Amino acid sequence: MTTPTGQNQQQNRRRIIEQERGECAWHNVTEAKERLGEKQKEYRSLARRLNAMIQINGLGQTLAFLKAKGKGEQNGQAIQTPHGLLYQHLSIWVSKQMGNEGKSLLEWIVGSETSREAYRRATVECLAFGTWLRRFAEAVLKSE
């Protein structure tokens, strides 16, 4: 049984994690606004649909889709696309939370050493972070 002190510590830890998620999401959305220009509308749309995509298609398939669509080129030079930037934001945050900062999130998920429990935890973390991204994207970025 958890003591009241233990419960308070657990609540404080949850509050701190939510604050960190919010802070990171805020920085990610403001980065998207600065870097993407008019394509920020597409990032906003993706951020709004992210959690639904994860719930319908699964985390692995959603990440693979974002990564595949994230390859952009203009005049022979690589450019940052909204899909690629969102993939990068998710990968950095969730990899950090899962204690896996060496590989991209997609590589880690499809790796043979990743357990089902770790995959579920990563999915929950992506959904929680996605909620913050959606909130800030709706508040800050231009809509279509």
Side-chain angles (χ1 to χ4, degrees):
M1 185 166 179
T2 308
T3 65
T5 304
Q7 288 175 344
N8 288 341
Q9 289 174 343
Q10 194 174 22
Q11 289 172 344
N12 287 340
R13 181 66 187 136
R14 279 192 211 122
R15 188 175 304 121
I16 290 168
I17 290 171
E18 281 298 313
Q19 289 170 341
E20 290 173 353
R21 279 184 194 124
E23 181 181 10
C24 184
W26 174 258
H27 290 315
N28 290 165
V29 169
T30 55
E31 177 189 10
K33 183 176 183 176
E34 293 169 5
R35 290 180 68 186
L36 295 174
E38 282 302 310
K39 290 189 176 190
Q40 67 180 272
K41 295 174 185 177
E42 192 174 350
Y43 185 97
R44 181 183 191 267
S45 177
L46 286 167
R48 291 183 72 206
R49 295 187 338 248
L50 177 65
N51 284 1
M53 290 177 3
I54 293 170
Q55 290 171 338
I56 292 168
N57 303 312
L59 180 59
Q61 289 86 341
T62 300
L63 291 172
F65 168 76
L66 291 173
K67 187 169 183 170
K69 296 283 279 186
K71 299 174 183 174
E73 198 174 290
Q74 188 174 37
N75 298 331
Q77 294 192 2
I79 60 167
Q80 186 70 65
T81 68
H83 291 81
L85 191 57
L86 182 58
Y87 172 81
Q88 180 183 347
H89 290 159
L90 279 174
S91 187
I92 290 170
W93 173 258
V94 177
S95 292
K96 178 182 171 190
Q97 297 308 306
M98 299 302 294
N100 177 50
E101 296 182 60
K103 295 180 183 175
S104 78
L105 183 57
L106 184 58
E107 291 171 356
W108 179 74
I109 283 175
V110 299
S112 60
E113 69 277 357
T114 305
S115 68
R116 288 182 185 171
E117 178 60 29
Y119 182 87
R120 281 192 291 270
R121 282 188 12 247
T123 300
V124 168
E125 187 58 42
C126 274
L127 292 170
F129 189 62
T131 299
W132 281 103
L133 284 173
R134 183 184 70 239
R135 287 176 185 160
F136 288 132
E138 289 175 341
V140 173
L141 302 179
K142 293 179 184 176
S143 62
E144 298 195 39

